[in-house]
Every structure is written in structure tokens, then in C-alpha cells.
Amino acid sequence: MPLHEYQWEGVSFLYRSHGALLADEMGLGKTVQAVVAMALLLDGRNEVDRVLVVAPASLTLNWMAELSAWAPQLPARRLEGDADDRVALYMLPIPVLVGSYEQLRMDGLDRIPRDAFDLVVLDEAQRIKERDSVTSLACRLLPRSRSWALSATPLENRLEDIKTILGFLDPAFGPDRHRRDVARRLEVSMLRRRKSDVRGELPPVILQDIRLDLGVEQRRRYDALWGTRDSYVRGGQDLATAMFGLITRLKVICNRDEESGTSTKLEALETVIESAGESARIIVFSQFVKTLEWISGRLAVTHERLVGSMDMRAREAAMDRFRSGMTPRALLVSLRAGGVGLNLGEATHIVLFDRWWNPAVENQAIYRAHRFDRDDPLHVVRFVVRESIEERIADILEEKAELFDDIVERPQAKGAGFGRAELERILGMTNGPPEQDGAVGLED
């Protein structure tokens, strides 16, 4: 399959850049563009002899497959084995080495020779957004002459996220830079295309919010906990942690009542599956693994589960069965496990059983199914419980999504991550606007 014109534009952008952020939307082929660009750089006529690709562990096999498909002439190896094995691989003259962020965290500061690599490519580069983490430091300190970052969501919550990525591309770009400096640097260092820009004929995402009322038992349980929120939160030693814990408990009740076993959402999910038709392949996302286990024990349709505790072989087997098994069929996925490394264009429907704190993570999950070679529309259903914190969270998620648009899609920005004032707003303790600074880290 030949590259599309916009993909050749991306190849050219990377080839010419010493520090480049390729920020195309999910499904437009960032990996393919990077593979072709590095193949051109490694043809012997440039000052690039060795490339290190750093990716989430779940994507390293995908990188090897893309290298084999698009650059079969390039010798490439996955980084494997114990510390001694990895050191040997770092030193061998292998043109392309593919490793994980976890391996780089262990090796980057003292096991990788200073002259080992000319180009370092970070896939899902938002993984280094926490500037003070060992992983982020190891990536930034790797000696190299060229730096490429690939990410559809380079800014997930805060302006600091993208500053750290720009600091990887250019070590002189420090965390104290102002918003206008970020916008100027992105103008020259970032290439971003949306699906609507490059593939107008791509079938749409059909988004449907289904508002639900809690059943009697769920409502009674929810209202009882809601009524104790002030004493529950004020009694905690750390206010933000206590608020977050309470919100999590309320979210779980919105999913199901553990005592009575009732769930309005499960009834709605069964209706969605029934109405989806005999050929449906439905992905159900939840942030709670226990919720997925509970659904699995009650769902009549044939289904698989995909959670973070599964090894890569088990994940691939589950995805293969979902892709090729008899329909109707479902795949129950934990949002954090499935937001990265899941390429399932065969899905006909996606159900967000509950909402994640970060709209970028949700979008990552959705666009793993909305690929550029897709023929049919993708139906996305989001459950929202009326008169609950889910409505409040949904409102704030819309506001948070504006931050990404303002920085990545437009030159100016406003807003920040979930801060204390936003948590209080969710819990009905204040009517004020969400605070703009001092965001609480609620990613995990």
C-alpha cells in the first residue's frame, strides 16, 4: 500500500528536522511516516548510523512489524534480556533498536554508551510529560544529534506537558518558558494534521451521550454517600486526596451497586449490544478493572477482556479473537490499558461505560478504532448518570478539552488540569470557576 500524500509530507518534515514533533491525530500513520523517514536517513548518505526507538512496551512488537513492512532492508532488533544483554545490544552496530520506556528508565542514565545513537525517536511521547520523573530525565539526557517525538496528544492536561516534550527536542527549551514561547516553537517544530484535513472521505465518528437514571437501590446508596461528603472530605488529612477518593467511590456506585448487584448502565449496555446487530464488534471501556470483571460475569454476548495485568501475548490473543471471531462480540478493556497500543479498526461500536479524568486519554482509546483505512462509521456511546457527579465531570471534561485546542490547534491557551477548586465543584462544595493553576495530579 503506497503512502498518502500527507504521509509523504510527514516523512519530509521528519527527514529535514533535527528536533521534530509529529502530532497527527490517531490513525493517520505516524509510525509508518517515522519508519520511512528513518530509512531515508540510514541510507548511508547522512550522518545517521543508529536509531533508538522508545515506545510503550505494548507497542514494541508493532514497531517491529512496521519496520519489516515498510523498511525490510533495515536490520532492526527489539531490546530484550537482562542488563548485560541490553548493554550488548546497545553496543552492537544494529541500525535500529526498539526498546520500551521501562527499559530506558533502567538503562538510560548509566548503561547506554554516550556515542550509541544518532537519532532517538519517542513514540507516545506524552509518556515523558512529568519532567522530574526518572523516565523523562533519562530520555532528555540521551546523547543524540536528532530527536523526534510522536504523539497525537502532546498536551494532555497542563502547559508543562508540552514544555517537557519541547525540552526533549531542544535541551535549551526550559520549563520556565512562557506560553508565547511554546506557541512560537510549535510553529516550527510541530506538524499536526487532523483526519478532517487529510481524509475528508473518512467515515465519521457518531457520538451519542446516553443519559441514565439510577435505579432505586443505586440511588439510595449514592444519596447516602453524597450526604456525608462534607464530613468525609473534611475528615481526611489530605484534602485533595480525600476528595478524589470520595469521587471515585461515587463513580463506582454510578456503575453498579455492589450490595444489590443492580446497574442501570449494565441494562443500557445490553440494550446497545442488542441494537447493534448480529455483525457488531463492540469495545467497552471502563477505568475500573473490577467493573469489567463484574460486567464479564453478567454479559451474555461472547466477549474477551483486555487489562493491564495481561502480558503482550495474552493481549494479542484477545485482540485477534475479537477481530476474527464470530459476531456479535465484545471486548472489555480497561481505559489505561487500551488507550495505547490498541489498533482495532474492526470495531463497529465503542461504549465508554464511565468517563476518565482526561479527555485526551478517552480520545486515544476512541481513535484506536477510527483508523485512516476504515470504511464504515464508528458509533461511540458515552454513559452519563443524571443528577450525579458524572454530569459535573462531563462539564469539566469539555472545558479541559479546550486547553488542547488552544495550545495545539491554536496559538493561545487557557486552563489547566483538575485542581482543588474543580474537585470541590464536582462535589458541590463551590460554585466558582475551576482554578487555573496548581492542578492536582489525578492521572493514575
Side-chain angles (χ1 to χ4, degrees), residues 79 195 198 201 282 302 409 431:
L79 191 60
K195 291 175 181 173
V198 300
E201 70 275 20
I282 302 166
T302 303
E409 309 289 10
N431 294 318

Side-chain angles (χ1 to χ4, degrees), residues 251-268:
K251 283 167 64 69
V252 169
I253 295 175
C254 286
N255 284 352
R256 62 188 175 108
D257 174 32
E258 294 180 343
E259 292 190 17
S260 66
T262 57
S263 171
T264 299
K265 287 186 180 181
L266 180 61
E267 295 173 7

Side-chain angles (χ1 to χ4, degrees), residues 208 210 212 264-277 282 299 349 351 381 383:
Q208 180 183 10
I210 296 182
L212 302 170
T264 299
K265 287 186 180 181
L266 180 61
E267 295 173 7
L269 176 61
E270 291 170 338
T271 301
V272 169
I273 292 173
E274 182 180 355
S275 63
I282 302 166
L299 208 57
H349 295 70
V351 176
V381 175
F383 291 155

Side-chain angles (χ1 to χ4, degrees), residues 274-434:
E274 182 180 355
S275 63
E278 290 299 315
S279 61
R281 299 185 191 273
I282 302 166
I283 302 176
V284 181
F285 284 108
S286 173
Q287 70 180 93
F288 302 109
V289 173
K290 288 185 177 180
T291 292
L292 294 176
E293 293 173 350
W294 183 83
I295 294 172
S296 178
R298 288 156 178 80
L299 208 57
V301 70
T302 303
H303 62 275
E304 316 290 337
R305 276 191 289 164
L306 197 158
V307 297
S309 59
M310 297 167 59
D311 60 31
M312 282 189 286
R313 181 176 297 179
R315 289 188 186 200
E316 287 295 331
M319 289 191 288
D320 286 343
R321 289 191 295 270
F322 176 75
R323 292 186 184 107
S324 58
M326 295 290 291
T327 58
R329 203 174 196 94
L331 182 66
L332 311 182
V333 187
S334 64
L335 197 54
R336 291 295 275 182
V340 174
L342 193 70
N343 295 322
L344 290 170
E346 296 83 358
T348 60
H349 295 70
I350 285 178
V351 176
L352 296 179
F353 202 79
D354 46 63
R355 306 294 302 278
W356 187 253
W357 301 104
N358 188 338
V361 174
E362 291 186 342
N363 288 336
Q364 280 185 330
I366 292 169
Y367 287 110
R368 291 300 171 184
H370 196 233
R371 314 305 291 177
F372 72 84
D373 54 353
R374 184 180 184 87
D375 295 323
D376 299 317
L378 177 66
H379 296 259
V380 178
V381 175
R382 300 186 299 194
F383 291 155
V384 180
V385 172
R386 292 179 61 248
E387 298 180 1
S388 78
I389 59 166
E390 289 197 340
E391 284 189 325
R392 298 170 186 264
I393 290 173
D395 290 341
I396 295 177
L397 286 176
E398 291 183 9
E399 295 168 2
K400 283 162 64 68
E402 294 178 2
L403 176 63
F404 184 89
D405 290 338
D406 288 339
I407 284 291
V408 177
E409 309 289 10
R410 299 193 294 270
Q412 299 299 321
K414 59 183 178 181
F418 268 30
R420 172 176 161 178
E422 286 172 321
L423 297 179
E424 291 178 341
R425 180 178 166 198
I426 291 169
L427 290 171
M429 294 180 173
T430 178
N431 294 318

